[in-house]
């Protein structure tokens, strides 16, 4: 009697599918790590390209307006950039001149303010602190600051090199922006004609969605800046301090840097109030700045960006937090626009194709008969 052959073993479909998904996830994680490494190595190029994208999106509006009225591409680009740089220069002059005059007396104001704080701590706070304790604390802080300055020579050199790199990148960004405004539409048209016929529509949809998303981000940041500037500037005006308009302009500009911008603007507002008003007014502005920052990070920024970009506020908040944790300052700046570009592009493609693309491994089983038309 012949012994029956053992049944051949074949892996279950679910095991194959899980293995394929794990392999895809590993490949995607490796690719993401390589992309991060390449971006870090090419920071000198990536930074100007990102700045160029923002400047081009802003200046494309006046440039296209001039071109529709008969201007040639080059003069329209030059006029748009010249007007933008002139506006920045005028704002800088309007801020710098009064700030210099007001901050000349900053040293005396700080000294008087610290003396008032010391008198309150020693005489009126009820704490068991003497003048000798305060003096020892001052000496200890001074020694620590001197030691930190002595140990930070390498950091100062690195900071100077970073500043020079940023300046070079900014100059390169202005040059790239000029050519993007001048030759951008023609370059896009040539690129469109060079694509395979089957891919032209998808690329056009993604490009249009990305362009609209970037514009929505800039509009949302501008609206956020207006709200923050009105709150902080209004508080300073009610307290009767100086330099209200420069602080409002700085607060508006800082809104284009999520999380970090509000912190820097609040610190400057407190310092300006201390120099032009006094310790009490500075404390009030500091409290308002902290409240505005929390309101901005937890509710206002996600809501405004969500309205402008058609994204859920939770998505905006998680994007900012993740970008900051992963890439620091650069991730903070790029988290919202990058998330908006990817999300809206995916959504536009899905709507254009009329179906929901399914992730790898989650599609229908090919052995099952499809239902419906």
């Amino acid at each position: 009697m012949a012994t029956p052959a053992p049944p051949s073993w074949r892996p279950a479909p679910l095991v194959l599918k899980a293995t394929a998904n794990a392999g895809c996830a590993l490949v995607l994680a490796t690719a993401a790590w390589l992309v991060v490494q390449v971006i870090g190595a090419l920071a000198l190029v990536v930074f100007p390209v990102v700045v160029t994208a923002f400047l081009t999106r802003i200046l494309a509006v006046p440039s296209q307006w001039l071109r529709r009225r008969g201007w040639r591409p080059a003069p329209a680009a030059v006029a748009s950039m010249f007007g933008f740089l002139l506006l920045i220069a005028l704002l800088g002059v309007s801020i710098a001149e009064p700030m210099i005059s007001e901050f000349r007396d900053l040293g005396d104001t700080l000294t008087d303010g610290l003396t008032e704080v010391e008198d309150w701590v020693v005489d009126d706070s009820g704490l068991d602190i003497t003048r000798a304790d305060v003096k020892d604390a001052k000496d200890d802080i001074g020694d620590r600051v001197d030691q930190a300055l002595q140990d930070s020579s390498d950091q100062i050199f690195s900071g100077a090199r970073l500043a020079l790199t940023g300046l070079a990148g900014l100059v390169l960004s202005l040059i790239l922006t000029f050519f993007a405004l001048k030759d951008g539409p023609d370059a896009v048209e040539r690129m469109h004609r060079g694509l395979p016929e089957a891919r032209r529509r998808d690329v056009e949809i993604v490009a249009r969605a990305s362009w609209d998303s970037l514009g929505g981000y800039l509009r949302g940041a501008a609206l956020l800046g207006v709200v923050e500037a009105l709150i902080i500037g209004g508080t300073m005006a009610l307290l009767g301090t100086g330099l209200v308009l420069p602080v409002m302009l700085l607060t508006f500009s800082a809104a284009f840097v999520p999380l970090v911008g509000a912190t820097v603007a609040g610190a400057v507002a407190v310092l300006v109030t201390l120099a032009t008003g006094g310790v009490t007014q500075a404390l009030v502005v500091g409290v308002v700045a902290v409240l505005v920052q929390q309101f901005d990070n937890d509710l206002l920024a996600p809501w405004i960006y969500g309205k402008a970009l058609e994204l859920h506020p939770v998505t905006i908040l998680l994007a900012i937090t993740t970008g900051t944790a992963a890439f620091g300052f650069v991730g903070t700046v790029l988290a919202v626009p990058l998330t908006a570009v990817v999300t809206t592009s995916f959504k536009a493609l899905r709507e254009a194709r009329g179906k929901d693309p399914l992730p790898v491994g989650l599609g229908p089983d090919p052995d099952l008969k499809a239902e419906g038309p």
Side-chain angles (χ1 to χ4, degrees):
M1 182 176 180
T3 303
S8 59
W9 179 84
R10 291 187 303 172
L14 290 179
V15 174
L16 290 175
K17 191 172 296 185
T19 304
N21 287 340
C24 291
L26 181 60
V27 171
L28 290 176
T30 304
W33 181 84
L34 290 175
V35 169
V36 171
Q37 297 301 314
V38 171
I39 291 176
L42 299 177
L44 184 60
V45 177
V46 174
F47 170 73
V49 170
V50 172
V51 175
T52 298
F54 282 95
L55 289 179
T56 303
R57 187 61 182 91
I58 295 172
L59 299 180
V61 177
S63 179
Q64 292 296 325
W65 183 83
L66 293 174
R67 294 178 68 166
R68 285 195 297 268
R69 279 150 181 78
W71 285 54
R72 300 292 298 170
V78 170
S80 301
M81 294 189 64
F82 179 78
F84 175 75
L85 294 176
L86 181 62
L87 177 62
I88 296 298
L90 291 176
L91 291 177
V93 171
S94 66
I95 293 175
E97 185 176 355
M99 286 188 70
I100 291 175
S101 61
E102 290 284 352
F103 273 73
R104 288 173 182 169
D105 300 330
L106 178 60
D108 295 337
T109 304
L110 288 176
T111 301
D112 295 340
L114 291 176
T115 301
E116 292 180 11
V117 173
E118 179 181 341
D119 293 339
W120 179 83
V121 169
V122 174
D123 299 331
D124 302 326
S125 65
L127 300 175
D128 187 16
I129 297 177
T130 63
R131 299 281 180 183
D133 296 331
V134 175
K135 183 178 183 302
D136 292 340
K138 288 181 180 180
D139 295 338
D140 183 63
I141 293 174
D143 294 339
R144 290 179 180 271
V145 171
D146 292 338
Q147 186 63 37
L149 291 176
Q150 293 176 4
D151 297 338
S152 62
S153 57
D154 294 338
Q155 297 180 0
I156 294 175
F157 177 76
S158 300
R161 184 174 57 184
L162 181 62
L164 291 176
T165 302
L167 181 60
L170 184 59
V171 173
L172 180 58
S173 300
L174 294 176
I175 297 174
L176 294 176
T177 301
F178 167 75
F179 285 107
L181 294 174
K182 174 179 173 292
D183 302 325
D186 295 336
V188 170
E189 182 62 27
R190 288 194 299 269
M191 186 184 303
H192 184 264
R193 289 196 302 265
L195 291 172
E197 186 70 27
R199 296 297 180 187
R200 289 183 181 178
R201 183 168 177 268
D202 290 345
V203 172
E204 182 179 354
I205 291 172
V206 171
R208 191 182 303 276
S210 301
W211 189 252
D212 293 340
S213 297
L214 189 56
Y217 166 75
L218 294 174
R219 289 191 297 271
L223 179 58
L224 188 64
V226 169
V227 174
E228 294 174 351
L230 289 176
I231 295 176
I232 295 180
T235 302
M236 294 177 63
L238 291 176
L239 295 174
T241 63
L243 299 177
V244 175
L245 182 59
V247 170
M248 292 180 67
L249 292 175
L250 179 62
T251 304
F252 172 79
S253 302
F256 290 88
V257 183
L259 298 181
V260 178
T263 302
V264 174
V268 172
V270 172
L271 186 60
V272 169
T273 305
L274 181 62
T276 60
V279 177
T280 304
Q281 290 88 336
L283 291 175
V284 173
V285 172
V287 171
V288 172
V290 170
L291 294 177
V292 168
Q293 182 181 359
Q294 295 300 318
F295 183 57
D296 172 16
N297 297 343
D298 299 335
L299 181 61
L300 191 59
W303 182 79
I304 289 181
Y305 284 134
K307 289 293 184 180
L309 303 176
E310 298 183 356
L311 294 177
H312 196 278
V314 174
T315 303
I316 302 295
L317 183 60
L318 291 177
I320 295 176
T321 306
T322 304
T324 304
F327 302 103
F329 176 75
V330 176
T332 302
V333 176
L334 299 182
V336 176
L338 184 60
T339 302
V341 166
V342 174
T343 305
T344 55
S345 299
F346 183 83
K347 180 180 178 181
L349 277 176
R350 183 183 62 188
E351 293 177 351
R353 294 177 177 178
K355 61 180 180 180
D356 295 329
L358 296 174
V360 177
L362 297 182
D365 194 326
D367 296 331
L368 299 179
K369 184 177 180 180
E371 298 181 359

